[in-house]
Amino acid sequence: MALSLGEVAAVGGSRLRRQLESGSYAAEEYVKVLSQQSDGDRDLQEHRQRIQALSEETAQSLKRNVYQNYRQFIETAREISYLESEMYQLSHILTEQKGIMEAVTQTLLQQASNADRDDPALGGARRVAADPHANPFLPLSAKDVAANEEGRHRTLTTLLEKVEGCRDLLPESPGKYLVYNGDLVEYDADHMVQIQRVHAFLMNDCLLVAAWLPNRRGTYRYDALYPLDGLAVVNVKDNPPMKDMFKLLMFPESRIFQAENAKIKKEWLEVLEETKRNRVLSEKRRLEQEAPARAPPPTPPESTNPFEEEEEEESTPEEETVDLSLEWIQELPEDLDVCIAQRDFEGAVDLLDKLNEYLGDKPVTQLVRELRVKVDERIRQLTDVLVFELSPDRSLRGGPRATRRAVSQLIRLGQSTKACELFLRNREAAVHTAIRQLRIEGATLLYIHKLCHVFFTSLLETAREFETDFAGNSGCYSAFVVWARSAMRMFVDAFSKQVFDSKESLSTAAECVKVAKEHCKQLSEIGLDLTFIIHALLVKDIKGALQSYKDIIIEATKHRNSEEMWRRMNLMTPEALGKLREEMRSCGVTSFDQYTGDDCWVNLSYTVVAFTKQTMAFLEEALKLYFPELHMVLLESLVEIILVAVQHVDYSLRCEQDTEKKAFIRQNASFLYETVLPVVEKRFEEGVGKPAKQLQDLRNASRLMRINPESTTSVV
């Protein structure tokens, strides 16, 4: 029975798959055998198509398998999530049952205690029967208190035995007892992601947080212990699905917990606040009990000593007391902790100013010293937070004004020097970051424009902000001047690296320096002149650039001199002649027309004309870079350049024998002495502001050097 083409292809594909899946498959052998058995290119193309179809089929099969496995994985994960939720509910139900049983037990004990109080004899008999060694003559109230404290301590001990790592808490604080406890879920304060499940134990003086141990039900691992004195509780507004949350603030950290429902959250907030108030009141009573009772001094017998009254008057101030029982003073350390945790720096400093004003004229007693110790610790914490706010590690966005808040509070705390140092360090990091983030464009001048704008704008803003923040601290201004010099050095480093280290042309360097000077003059608006600093920092690089360009001109002039034929220039076209006239006019040579001949001829040598244009261009660019420290460098460079051309003309004039050429050389020498040198001297005096004697000597001398008449060489 004949097979269809589809069946043949299917049989071939199945055979090919088995062949490729076999363990003894070798690609090279397979291709070799296939090439030998194939009749031509067509068979190989068909075989290639079958292999490609098999590859696509295999890829589709893999995709289907991966998709099926992925769906099964999702379903399994969902089942695990359901199971975990059910286990959590079961654990919570067991915890509630345990709490109910403990509540019933406490209720029964309370009822028994009430019965004993109603019938003392019956209660005493019951207690004697229960404990034959008990003291029946102990007052009833004292025995009740002892039983109550013992019950609380026993309950706390029972619960804390389930927490690993806190066996040493009870012996150190025998008066500690449990107030409230329950399960909570902790979330990350920044990203609101669930971190772990915890169990919190609120005691009369601290809060213990313990983490769940997943492998052991009902046991916990110690996580943290926070004294109530430094703990602040903040309600977190519900923002579904994040709800029933509250925040605990403990400098320098904060933690967010979620209760099971709104009722339990409310209970936590109320119990925490009530326990903190009771803690403050108990601390206040303890301080009052520890304060020595001041008995009225006995009336001394009358005496005729006239100095006794003075001694009594001197001892009177020592007996004065300071009233620290005011509510705002008792809650001051806690209020400072809350302000620091909530970043209310102004409120914290206002409280400190209020305390200093209250204690300003009061004597320093022992209670005042204890209060000062607590407050000084908060001041140190507040200072650390403000210092961190100004550290360069923080975000540098917002400009100098972003630091005003922290700086002003440090100044109010009496730490102007530290505030000044941190402010300037922060701004230095900001300027450095801004310069480093600048993109180095292909055009150097464009990059320098951006660099100058970023740097000098930042410097100007920093100076204005400094003047605003430290207006009453004139001693800090010297620190700002030192900082400005350091910042200018950082700017010049970036400037020189882009302009001078990259060997830019003198014209580009001159334009860049001009831009920097113009931006630097903006600082004069606030009375700050840093021009002398930028000159001092750039003088070395500018000297190097001038000398380098001078050497280039000298080498080019010598090269042209070596090929000099002393022939007139033929510019070929009137346009070229007109262009040359315009160039010479821009160089300051206004009498150039007298050296032009008929048609397009110029009665000057190409070497002399090129030297004139190059020298005047060098002078113009150098004057843009000029400042007094570069006077001698520029003048000596000009003299060296001019000497090369004049020596060559003088040497040629002495050596040339042809009368016609000799006359042409004299014409070029006349152009140099009578036209070029006066223009150079005049332009130099205009740019610098004073004449140059060296250039005058060059112009007035008929010969720049004496030559031995018998010699045909020139000594340079």
Side-chain angles (χ1 to χ4, degrees):
M1 179 170 140
L3 297 176
S4 64
L5 291 176
E7 292 174 343
V8 171
V11 172
S14 176
R15 185 184 306 159
L16 178 60
R17 180 183 291 106
R18 287 196 303 271
Q19 197 171 3
L20 295 176
E21 290 176 353
S22 64
S24 60
Y25 170 74
E28 295 182 358
E29 292 295 331
Y30 178 77
V31 172
K32 185 185 295 184
V33 173
L34 183 63
S35 301
Q36 293 174 356
Q37 295 177 354
S38 298
D39 294 337
D41 181 66
R42 184 175 180 180
D43 291 345
L44 292 176
Q45 290 291 341
E46 293 177 354
H47 202 80
R48 179 177 178 276
Q49 292 176 359
R50 287 198 298 270
I51 294 177
Q52 188 171 1
L54 182 61
S55 173
E56 293 176 355
E57 182 182 351
T58 305
Q60 291 295 330
S61 176
L62 287 174
K63 288 181 181 179
R64 286 193 297 272
N65 292 336
V66 169
Y67 179 71
Q68 291 177 359
N69 293 336
Y70 182 67
R71 291 184 59 184
Q72 292 177 0
F73 175 77
I74 292 177
E75 293 175 358
T76 305
R78 188 180 295 113
E79 292 296 332
I80 293 174
S81 177
Y82 292 155
L83 180 61
E84 182 181 6
S85 176
E86 292 175 357
M87 293 298 294
Y88 177 76
Q89 293 177 2
L90 179 61
S91 173
H92 185 71
I93 292 172
L94 292 176
T95 303
E96 286 184 346
Q97 294 294 333
K98 179 181 177 182
I100 293 172
M101 294 177 65
E102 290 178 353
V104 171
T105 304
Q106 291 181 0
T107 302
L108 293 176
L109 291 174
Q110 186 67 28
Q111 290 176 357
S113 176
N114 294 336
D116 292 345
R117 190 180 299 108
D118 296 337
D119 192 352
L122 180 61
R126 186 184 295 114
R127 283 189 292 273
V128 170
D131 185 4
H133 301 288
N135 186 1
F137 300 100
L138 189 67
L140 183 62
S141 60
K143 288 187 285 185
D144 290 341
V145 171
N148 190 17
E149 292 292 335
E150 182 181 358
R152 287 179 170 181
H153 189 75
R154 187 183 302 111
T155 303
L156 176 63
T157 305
T158 303
L159 288 176
L160 294 184
E161 283 178 353
K162 301 178 181 180
V163 181
E164 297 181 356
C166 55
R167 294 180 179 274
D168 299 334
L169 294 177
L170 286 178
E172 295 178 0
S173 302
K176 195 187 304 292
Y177 60 86
L178 184 68
V179 178
Y180 194 78
N181 72 95
D183 292 330
L184 299 170
V185 179
E186 183 177 6
Y187 281 77
D188 182 77
D190 296 327
H191 305 93
M192 299 306 292
V193 179
Q194 181 175 337
I195 300 177
Q196 60 180 347
R197 294 172 56 195
V198 300
H199 194 90
F201 299 89
L202 176 62
M203 288 160 269
N204 59 323
D205 60 347
C206 62
L207 176 68
L208 174 66
V209 179
W212 279 67
L213 292 176
N215 298 329
R216 289 181 285 176
R217 297 288 181 181
T219 57
Y220 314 99
R221 182 185 71 255
Y222 171 78
D223 185 76
L225 182 67
Y226 303 110
L228 293 183
D229 295 340
L231 187 68
V233 187
V234 179
N235 182 25
V236 178
K237 186 178 179 181
D238 289 347
N239 185 17
M242 301 301 174
K243 59 181 181 178
D244 304 330
M245 292 183 173
F246 59 92
K247 181 185 291 188
L248 297 181
L249 305 176
M250 309 77 58
F251 179 82
E253 60 176 319
S254 62
R255 301 176 71 171
I256 292 182
F257 298 98
Q258 183 184 43
E260 182 181 358
N261 50 49
K263 179 182 178 182
I264 295 179
K265 170 189 172 180
K266 182 179 179 182
E267 290 178 359
W268 269 109
L269 294 176
E270 293 176 351
V271 171
L272 280 167
E273 291 296 336
E274 182 66 24
T275 307
K276 290 181 64 178
R277 283 196 294 269
N278 294 336
R279 175 66 178 170
V280 173
L281 293 176
S282 63
E283 186 69 17
K284 178 180 177 182
R285 287 195 297 268
R286 184 185 67 82
L287 293 176
E288 292 176 351
Q289 293 174 0
E290 291 180 356
R294 298 184 179 274
T299 305
E302 294 183 1
S303 174
T304 59
N305 186 355
F307 298 101
E308 284 189 0
E309 294 182 0
E310 296 180 2
E311 294 176 358
E312 291 177 358
E313 291 177 358
E314 293 176 357
S315 62
T316 299
E318 297 179 359
E319 298 177 356
E320 292 184 8
T321 59
V322 181
D323 184 13
L324 299 181
S325 61
L326 300 176
E327 183 178 357
W328 70 271
I329 293 181
Q330 292 294 326
E331 297 180 355
L332 181 65
E334 179 181 351
D335 291 341
L336 288 175
D337 289 335
V338 173
C339 289
I340 294 172
Q342 294 181 343
R343 299 170 60 82
D344 183 12
F345 306 136
E346 294 82 0
V349 180
D350 290 341
L351 289 174
L352 293 173
D353 290 344
K354 183 178 179 181
L355 177 65
N356 292 332
E357 183 180 357
Y358 178 77
L359 298 178
D361 55 349
K362 302 292 191 300
V364 181
T365 63
Q366 181 62 29
L367 294 179
V368 173
R369 292 191 187 95
E370 293 179 359
L371 178 61
R372 284 290 188 188
V373 170
K374 295 180 180 179
V375 172
D376 289 343
E377 176 64 21
R378 270 68 178 184
I379 293 176
R380 186 188 63 79
Q381 295 176 1
L382 177 60
T383 303
D384 292 342
V385 174
L386 293 174
V387 169
F388 178 70
E389 287 293 314
L390 291 173
S391 64
D393 298 334
R394 296 282 289 172
S395 177
L396 299 174
R397 298 179 180 177
R401 293 185 180 180
T403 63
R404 182 180 298 178
R405 186 182 178 209
V407 169
S408 61
Q409 302 314 314
L410 279 176
I411 293 175
R412 291 179 63 189
L413 290 174
Q415 303 191 36
S416 302
T417 304
K418 179 178 289 187
C420 176
E421 178 186 354
L422 293 171
F423 172 77
L424 295 178
R425 191 184 303 169
N426 179 278
R427 297 311 307 153
E428 180 180 4
V431 173
H432 179 71
T433 302
I435 292 177
R436 189 175 56 186
Q437 290 178 349
L438 275 179
R439 293 181 57 187
I440 299 178
E441 304 288 347
T444 301
L445 187 59
L446 178 60
Y447 172 79
I448 294 301
H449 272 287
K450 292 183 178 180
L451 175 65
C452 292
H453 175 74
V454 169
F455 174 76
F456 287 102
T457 301
S458 299
L459 195 62
L460 188 62
E461 292 177 352
T462 301
R464 287 173 176 167
E465 185 65 26
F466 187 89
E467 190 175 10
T468 301
D469 293 344
F470 298 93
N473 298 274
S474 57
C476 296
Y477 280 84
S478 58
F480 176 77
V481 174
V482 174
W483 174 85
R485 181 181 180 85
S486 174
M488 187 65 75
R489 185 178 293 108
M490 177 174 58
F491 163 76
V492 170
D493 289 342
F495 181 92
S496 298
K497 186 179 296 183
Q498 190 66 19
V499 176
F500 296 107
D501 293 353
S502 58
K503 304 299 181 183
E504 292 290 339
S505 64
L506 190 64
S507 59
T508 302
E511 288 296 328
C512 293
V513 172
K514 181 181 177 182
V515 170
K517 287 181 180 180
E518 290 175 352
H519 279 83
C520 191
K521 290 179 181 178
Q522 296 177 0
L523 300 177
S524 60
E525 299 176 6
I526 58 171
L528 185 64
D529 186 5
L530 299 179
T531 307
F532 70 99
I533 294 180
I534 198 171
H535 284 173
L537 295 174
L538 285 175
V539 63
K540 181 179 178 181
D541 292 323
I542 295 178
K543 280 183 179 179
L546 290 175
Q547 292 173 354
S548 176
Y549 201 68
K550 173 204 70 176
D551 294 338
I552 293 174
I553 294 177
I554 290 176
E555 288 298 323
T557 304
K558 288 182 177 180
H559 179 71
R560 288 193 296 267
N561 290 344
S562 65
E563 299 178 352
E564 180 60 77
M565 302 298 293
W566 293 114
R567 296 175 180 174
R568 293 190 304 164
M569 292 179 62
N570 185 3
L571 298 179
M572 307 299 291
T573 62
E575 291 79 8
L577 181 60
K579 182 179 179 182
L580 180 59
R581 283 198 184 106
E582 188 63 31
E583 290 176 351
M584 299 304 288
R585 191 176 296 111
S586 65
C587 291
V589 181
T590 56
S591 60
F592 184 72
D593 290 340
Q594 68 183 15
Y595 296 97
T596 59
D598 299 333
D599 297 332
C600 299
W601 290 91
V602 177
N603 298 324
L604 291 174
S605 169
Y606 166 77
T607 301
V608 174
V609 173
F611 168 79
T612 302
K613 292 194 296 183
Q614 202 167 20
T615 302
M616 294 307 299
F618 171 77
L619 179 58
E620 290 296 331
E621 302 302 338
L623 288 176
K624 294 180 183 178
L625 297 168
Y626 178 82
F627 46 86
E629 290 83 355
L630 297 172
H631 183 83
M632 290 307 300
V633 176
L634 176 56
L635 190 56
E636 291 173 359
S637 298
L638 280 174
V639 171
E640 288 185 38
I641 292 172
I642 294 172
L643 275 174
V644 174
V646 174
Q647 287 171 0
H648 173 65
V649 172
D650 182 78
Y651 173 75
S652 301
L653 191 61
R654 297 290 295 175
C655 297
E656 184 60 50
Q657 302 298 325
D658 189 341
T659 306
E660 187 177 348
K661 282 190 176 182
K662 205 166 189 177
F664 182 68
I665 295 173
R666 286 197 186 96
Q667 189 174 8
N668 282 273
S670 174
F671 175 75
L672 286 176
Y673 283 112
E674 298 175 5
T675 303
V676 177
L677 290 184
V679 170
V680 171
E681 182 183 348
K682 179 182 177 183
R683 186 67 188 95
F684 184 87
E685 184 175 353
E686 290 175 353
V688 174
K690 57 182 178 179
K693 185 176 182 300
Q694 291 88 336
L695 295 178
Q696 292 176 356
D697 294 341
L698 280 176
R699 182 170 60 87
N700 295 330
S702 60
R703 296 293 183 99
L704 298 180
M705 28 183 336
R706 295 183 179 273
I707 304 175
N708 186 354
E710 299 178 356
S711 174
T712 58
T713 59
S714 176
V715 182
V716 181

